[in-house]
Amino acid sequence: MSTILARKTSVPEALSTPPACRIWLFDDRPGPQTRLFRRALEVRGRVVNANLELFAERRYLLWVNGVFIAAGPAAHHPEIAPFDVHDLTARLRPGRNVLAVLVHTDAMGVHQHVPTAAPGLTARLTWSDDAGEHAVETDDAWRATDRTGWAWSTPKRGWALPPIERFRMADASPGWQRAEYDDRAWSAPSVHAFGAGVSGGLTAVRRPTPMLRSRPVTPTRVVRCDAVREPVVGINAGDGTGMLGESIVGLTREPADGVLSRANQGFVIRGLTASRGVAVDLDLGAFYVGQPRLAVACPSAGTIDVAWSEQAVDGIAVCVRKGVSYVDRIEAERGELEWRPINFTGMRFLTLVFRGFTGDVAVTHVAFEATEPDLDWAASFTCNDDRLNAIWDVCARTIRVGTQDALMDCPTREQATYVGDGLPVAKWIARLTGDTRFWRDLVVEQFRRQAANGLIKGTPYSAFDGTLLDYVLIAVIGTRDYLSWTGDRATFGDVLPAARRAIGWFDTHRDADGWLSWRWPGDAQRDVEHVFDPARPRIESSINLFIDHPGLGWHNPDDAGIDRRGINAAIHVLLVMAREALADIEDTLGDRQRAFAQRAEADRLRRAIIERLFDPRLGVFVDGELDGRRLDQISEQANTWAILAGCLSREDAADTLDRLLSRDDSAIARSGYYFWIYQLRALSSVGRTDLALRWIERLWGRVIDSGSTTVWETPAGDDLDSYCHPWSAAPASYLLTDVLGLGGLETDDKVIRPRYDLLSEASGSMFTRDGRCAIHWRRDDDGGVIIEGELPSGVRATVQSVDGNHSTAIDNVWRWRFA
């Protein structure tokens, strides 16, 4: 039985009195729309306590007096409105001030958003000055226009993403963010009650996840500059998603020596003609997530294609990958251009293609506004092995930059929160920062829109119905882990019944002998929710079994695949783990009878799996059974989960892992970076942290050797992969928990087990549910080991030798020498 202690956690705070009104302009226009809003206000004297509460669907960009402040909101379900709160105390000044907000709605379902068909801006600014207390809300005193410059007759960037951005300088309102801009020709917006038009209304809450912080990153070098002569390819909404990117990649390039000269924060391109353009390739020096920014003095009309990628070939950004176009288009006019896109993206390499201009183009500013969660990433790891240090650094960086307003599977191709990706990453963020807000948000929101049959979406905020069935079970396991780490019982009023319904789906789909068996994969049809429907999701046939990439064809297509047919071993052993997790939750929340029933069913299933799917001759579990016959396929994935589900003794589990990892057999389905989340745990469970370290250096060392600054989606690191995938960063956590040995502080026993036998010197820190903990060890001249560290105030623990024969009690600042 697991005992889960009560701990403090951060709970999102509901807005006690949400702003009364939402504003928009031209409510009857279909399709993607962008609007600009302005509100002037007078400040008298010194300002104190100025706070702006702001929400918009789907995305807003905020300026105050011409200074960019932030973008938002956080990812959310359509019946929830998370308000960002911006402290404007230092931004307001005596006299006239202006709030300027760009609001964009896609009016189509994407992988991180379901539209409500009631777009708009809702805001309230309150402040105090020498004249007293004041408030400004969204009403008809605001000014609005649709002369934004953005035109949306463009195709989607990719299947998961909103349309390519097309900016027409002739249709823009330059300088509209500044206080002195004349907006008298703008219109009064239409005003609607907050939540009107949304079935069931909206619940206003304060932002549940951390705000983003930003910093400008300038390119480290100009990689190349080439002449191009191909005409500009037109773009239309009906085009294929990859067409624009393919047109940029396919440009014929000729040397263009001497046409480019550097100047301050930009450069000048000389001698452009209507038939001779130039492509400039820039390197940011590392992968970042955020928004590129340009300021250009244009000598004439012309076109600027802004293309980017995680990968470059011969210094050129590969701006179309897996059918996704990483390109935006600017249709410029003579004059000064200032451009920032609406949406965020990830990139290392940036290509600017200038065509149709006559004369010299001066790029006066080019930079990338890089964003990441505003957290104190205080955890650390360093040791005597430089390669391990580099691996920890690149993994920790991947988590930091790959996480944005919400947990991201990748910040480029899909930009979506997945349950199976997000829950482990959220736990790692808690260990690296001590902040549990991302974790709590996913625990709650993964169940918010649950199908009547108990299933949940694999991507909670997505407009696409469908589930990865193993992620339904991982949702329950991750929920137990969150409760264990935080003790946040208050969150579980709605979560526990939803978790029970999720497990209940599996109970209703067992055959007469208690097994799950049907054809995999499920229906690949994507049913898109383009307008919020409270009766959804309807997950019936759009069901798939992920487990890990091998065998699905999405990545590593030449590798041996998991056999998902018939009675699948992996989903059954995962069901054992999920039942145990639900039993832990039931125990903690006081329903011992339900807990006993779940454990009994887990035990029954565990015994049945061993009898039916373990091959004693091979010493491994096979992937399943089809038509009464055991499948021939063997996978690391099924065996790893079987070990974690307790299907093998420690000795037999060690033997099974050794058989799999030591065999050079291409027929075995191998774990990708994602599944090493579990495989590292399995190795530690049988005392093979040494072997885990060797595999970390072998697999993640590929990233270091390649010069990549973030971890790829799979160890292949090919053109099918995302090059920044937080789920691939397991060593960032594992080196802290299982090598430094601090993971034992997350249990009730509170035992630190440092692996000083594997590293002669190591230091680091991580957060536990009690606070930040630190450790350092080194060998002294006499061959002993000096281990020292620090625990949070009031915490008592034990530090134990590797062989387990020696230990000592510790608290606060401690030191122990072990001979």
Side-chain angles (χ1 to χ4, degrees), residues 641-796:
W641 270 349
I643 290 167
L644 295 177
C647 293
L648 293 174
S649 67
R650 179 184 170 103
E651 181 178 332
D652 289 342
D655 181 62
T656 293
L657 284 173
D658 185 64
R659 286 171 184 265
L660 291 171
L661 292 173
S662 64
R663 286 174 60 180
D664 185 15
D665 185 349
S666 61
I668 296 173
R670 300 296 183 183
S671 295
Y673 281 141
Y674 166 64
F675 216 83
W676 273 93
I677 295 171
Y678 302 101
Q679 199 150 327
L680 289 172
R681 283 172 46 201
L683 284 167
S684 285
S685 74
V686 299
R688 294 306 309 272
T689 306
D690 60 326
L691 186 56
L693 273 187
R694 291 203 293 272
W695 277 94
I696 286 173
E697 296 213 24
R698 175 177 172 179
L699 292 173
W700 280 266
R702 299 175 184 177
V703 176
I704 304 304
D705 293 340
S706 76
S708 180
T709 60
T710 47
V711 187
W712 314 319
E713 191 167 3
T714 79
D718 57 20
D719 62 325
L720 298 178
D721 278 5
S722 151
Y723 274 24
C724 178
H725 225 78
W727 80 359
S728 299
S733 175
Y734 185 81
L735 292 172
L736 306 181
T737 56
D738 290 73
V739 177
L740 294 184
L742 297 174
L745 294 172
E746 295 180 334
T747 68
D748 296 341
D749 295 334
K750 288 187 168 51
V751 178
I752 300 176
R753 297 180 176 89
R755 293 307 302 264
Y756 53 81
D757 58 322
L758 303 178
L759 298 169
S760 61
E761 185 170 4
S763 297
S765 63
M766 80 171 213
F767 290 86
T768 70
R769 58 195 185 187
D770 297 302
R772 186 170 179 266
C773 310
I775 191 171
H776 171 254
W777 73 74
R778 60 180 174 84
R779 296 191 180 278
D780 61 20
D781 295 338
D782 298 326
V785 178
I786 297 172
I787 311 173
E788 54 195 353
E790 186 174 356
L791 297 175
S793 177
V795 174
R796 297 180 179 274

Side-chain angles (χ1 to χ4, degrees), residues 56 86-87 170 187 227 230 290 299 303 317 345 604 782 807 817:
H86 301 286
D87 183 353
S187 304
E230 285 92 340
T303 298
T345 190
R604 184 206 65 77
D782 298 326
S807 63
R817 184 183 184 278

Side-chain angles (χ1 to χ4, degrees), residues 29 94 108 156 278 316 343 357 520 608 696 732 739 765 772 797:
R29 292 189 181 177
M108 65 175 67
K156 291 183 70 175
V278 165
I316 302 170
N343 295 303
F357 292 98
W520 303 103
I696 286 173
V739 177
S765 63
R772 186 170 179 266

Side-chain angles (χ1 to χ4, degrees), residues 426-508:
K427 181 190 287 189
W428 302 340
I429 292 172
R431 288 171 174 159
L432 294 173
T433 70
D435 194 292
T436 61
R437 283 176 286 175
F438 282 113
W439 202 356
R440 184 193 183 276
D441 185 56
L442 183 50
V443 163
V444 171
E445 299 303 323
Q446 66 188 351
F447 293 118
R448 183 176 295 279
R449 302 192 68 202
Q450 188 173 33
N453 61 12
L455 293 179
I456 61 173
K457 295 182 181 183
T459 47
Y461 305 114
S462 178
F464 300 98
D465 269 4
T467 189
L468 301 175
L469 199 57
D470 41 320
Y471 281 18
V472 179
L473 298 176
I474 290 171
V476 178
I477 296 169
T479 297
R480 184 271 315 276
D481 293 347
Y482 170 79
L483 179 57
S484 178
W485 213 90
T486 65
D488 175 20
R489 300 186 185 199
T491 291
F492 281 75
D494 295 327
V495 171
L496 176 56
R500 289 171 180 165
R501 289 192 294 271
I503 295 294
W505 184 92
F506 293 85
D507 291 334
T508 60

